[in-house]
DNA sequence: ACCAAATCGAGAGCACTGCTCTTGACAGCG
DNA sequence: CGCTGTCAAGAGCAGTGCTCTCGATTTGGT
């Protein structure tokens, strides 16, 4: 990942970096569909065909941007998590949610790239699955840690998952070890709920409906965390 | 909506219908970005410029498809709702959720069009807001009716929304009259949670993680309905 | 029944895209 | 030094959205 030995290798890495940087800026202003190899080449002072030396196709550039985006959220989430008291599970959950939201609002097009409609005709290669898991892994760690500490006390009155869910729960437990099936199901509901809210917000579904989205988000995060079993927030 | 007077008007309506039909099929196979005016013209046996007599731009065609999509979900949801016993509020909620899911899985690209990333550079015109509200209106009616019947009994142990939410709650009450602020907040969480789950499912985020998505969906719908205060399901 | 106005499809054309192929220049290594 | 692999450049292909013009047809009013 760091500087290669030969001058050629270093130059190549530098140009590659510049291309993704310009592409990311293009993505921010035009969206995924507006990714334009020729415009990137123009901005670099190169001819379009030269860009193909670095990315064999537009989709490969997109893949690089997708991986970057996953890593950006993942890193933001990881940083927000470790900044918390390890035993303050509700605080960690809140920090993670806000990290995702802050990043999503700052980079709506990149959020759309990874959590919105898949790019037509584009099939995510395997290289993307590890970065795509980073935020989920953090989330799972929080819940597993809370459960291990006996701090997961889900509210009563909710139905239990069907027995047929046992298999999937076992798979999901890879990222949140120890949780019983019903808590796994709730964890998924809370997680998808988070992104449901954010998609509504980023994609403009709240326009003319909800004004103070930050306040509603705060409260929704608390509600979802509570649903997953995390303790209720101390604040008012 | 029905046959116009003159032969020309009828022919125009027919060609317009054919264009949107082909476009919708194209959308189903290629996605929104693959919408291709020239291919539509070819399939119609016309020349590309002729299509512009009916839709002044690609975006206008897209708008028509978006409105169609909103109306399709809206109609599916309305039909599912009226097929239920009016006082079976939990059943109506379940029916609505399943109607949305069935439609989304049957028309993933159209779902992406209205609930996924907004098309880059495309600004939804006002004509879309009424169709976009249809499903939400049905949802609000169910909750309002349940609340009026005294059937909304939300589980305890969840935080109350902040006072600053009062203004937004008042606005949202237009579609779910009577509900107190805390139930409005929960209603939004349940609604966004539904689409969060569906977006994960339709956009492939569940791949290699959750296999039996139908079962988990059923359970998540019950959980979200319960969160909103609807009675727990009778089934096991 | 006629005629002007509106509407329509065809065709050519513009500016642009992703992508391919070839050519000539240069850097790295023996 | 010379060989080999890499590079940017340029021309070019097929395709796109969209515009403009030009005849043909339909429409509605007289």
């Amino acid at each position: 990942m760091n500087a290669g030995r030969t001058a050629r290798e270093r130059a190549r890495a530098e140009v590659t970096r510049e291309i993704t940087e310009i592409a990311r800026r293009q993505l921010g202003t035009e969206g995924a569909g507006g990714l334009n190899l020729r415009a990137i080449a123009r901005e670099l002072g190169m001819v379009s065909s030269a860009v193909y030396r670095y990315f064999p196709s537009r989709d490969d550039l997109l893949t690089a941007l997708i991986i970057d985006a996953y890593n950006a959220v993942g890193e933001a989430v990881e940083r927000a998590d470790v900044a918390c008291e390890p035993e303050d599970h509700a605080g960690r959950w809140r920090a993670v949610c806000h990290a995702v939201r802050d990043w999503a609002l700052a980079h709506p097009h990149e959020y759309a790239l990874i959590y919105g409609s898949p790019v037509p005709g584009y099939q995510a290669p395997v290289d993307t699955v590890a970065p795509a898991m980073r935020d989920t892994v953090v989330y799972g760690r929080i819940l597993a840690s809370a459960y291990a500490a006996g701090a997961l006390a889900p509210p009563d009155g909710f139905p239990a998952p069907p027995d047929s869910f046992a298999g999937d729960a076992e798979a999901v437990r890879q990222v949140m070890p120890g949780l019983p099936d019903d808590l796994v199901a709730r964890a998924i509901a809370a997680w998808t709920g988070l992104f449901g809210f954010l998609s509504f917000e980023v994609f403009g579904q709240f326009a003319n409906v909800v004004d103070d989205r930050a306040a509603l988000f705060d409260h929704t995060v608390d509600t979802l965390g509570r649903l997953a079993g995390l303790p209720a927030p101390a604040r008012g």
Side-chain angles (χ1 to χ4, degrees), chain A residues 13-34:
Chain A
E14 173 62 17
V15 174
T16 305
R17 202 193 51 77
E18 276 187 282
I19 290 177
T20 61
E21 189 170 316
I22 295 175
R24 190 163 23 246
R25 208 170 51 240
Q26 229 180 62
L27 195 77
T29 61
E30 308 286 334

Side-chain angles (χ1 to χ4, degrees), chain A residues 37-176:
Chain A
L37 269 294
R38 291 178 115 108
I40 294 174
R42 268 193 300 271
E43 192 158 341
L44 269 168
M46 300 201 321
V47 91
S48 75
S49 57
V51 179
Y52 285 85
R53 295 260 172 215
Y54 299 88
F55 292 94
S57 81
R58 191 176 165 283
D59 275 8
D60 290 270
L61 218 193
L62 248 174
T63 299
L65 292 179
I66 288 177
I67 294 178
D68 281 1
Y70 274 127
N71 279 323
V73 225
E75 200 182 305
V77 162
E78 288 167 5
R79 247 206 301 260
D81 181 43
V82 300
C84 295
E85 282 297 322
E87 292 307 313
D88 178 15
H89 306 104
R92 289 169 70 187
W93 156 253
R94 268 203 304 275
V96 160
C97 291
H98 281 92
V100 177
R101 177 169 187 262
D102 290 345
W103 181 86
L105 292 183
H107 309 87
H109 288 105
E110 297 182 59
Y111 176 86
L113 205 57
I114 57 181
Y115 288 111
S117 342
V119 180
Y122 171 81
Q123 188 67 11
V126 280
D127 320 37
T128 62
V129 332
M133 293 278 292
R134 287 176 67 172
D135 51 6
T136 312
V137 164
V138 172
Y139 174 57
R141 251 202 312 259
I142 296 175
L143 287 185
S145 150
Y147 184 76
L152 270 197
D156 292 329
F158 284 89
D163 295 340
S164 65
F165 179 62
D168 283 332
E170 185 57 35
V172 176
R173 255 190 293 272
Q174 287 196 342
V175 295
M176 42 187 81

